[in-house]
């Protein structure tokens, strides 16, 4: 990343309240964890077929982590 681009963003830490984090965790905890086999299948769909829905599913399934 160039310095010119980096200087356009405030990189200071974001203050989050406990309520915000708790609400986020409650939301993402409702999303089922996928199995290793499902993860491998989605990764293969993404890399071999460029399947953006597979990418979305991978990202969403890992939000809690």
């Amino acid at each position: 990343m160039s310095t010119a681009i980096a200087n356009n963003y405030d990189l200071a830490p974001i203050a989050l309240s406990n309520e915000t984090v708790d609400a986020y965790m409650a939301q993402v905890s409702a999303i089922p964890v996928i199995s290793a086999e499902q993860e491998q299948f989605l990764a293969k769909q993404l890399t071999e077929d460029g399947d953006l829905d597979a990418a979305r599913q991978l990202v969403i399934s890992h939000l809690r982590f």
Side-chain angles (χ1 to χ4, degrees):
M1 179 183 311
S2 77
T3 305
I5 293 173
N7 289 336
N8 290 331
Y9 299 98
D10 181 8
L11 300 178
I14 299 170
L16 298 174
S17 69
N18 284 340
E19 294 87 18
T20 304
V21 174
D22 290 343
Y24 174 80
M25 289 307 298
Q27 291 282 325
V28 298
S29 294
I31 300 167
V33 176
I34 61 174
S35 68
E37 292 81 17
Q38 290 170 312
E39 185 174 3
Q40 290 171 355
F41 176 76
L42 291 169
K44 186 175 178 180
Q45 283 185 302
L46 172 61
T47 57
E48 291 181 3
D49 302 330
D51 186 343
L52 294 181
D53 188 54
R56 182 188 63 78
Q57 290 178 49
L58 284 167
V59 170
I60 289 173
S61 69
H62 288 87
L63 289 175
R64 75 178 68 215
F65 303 113

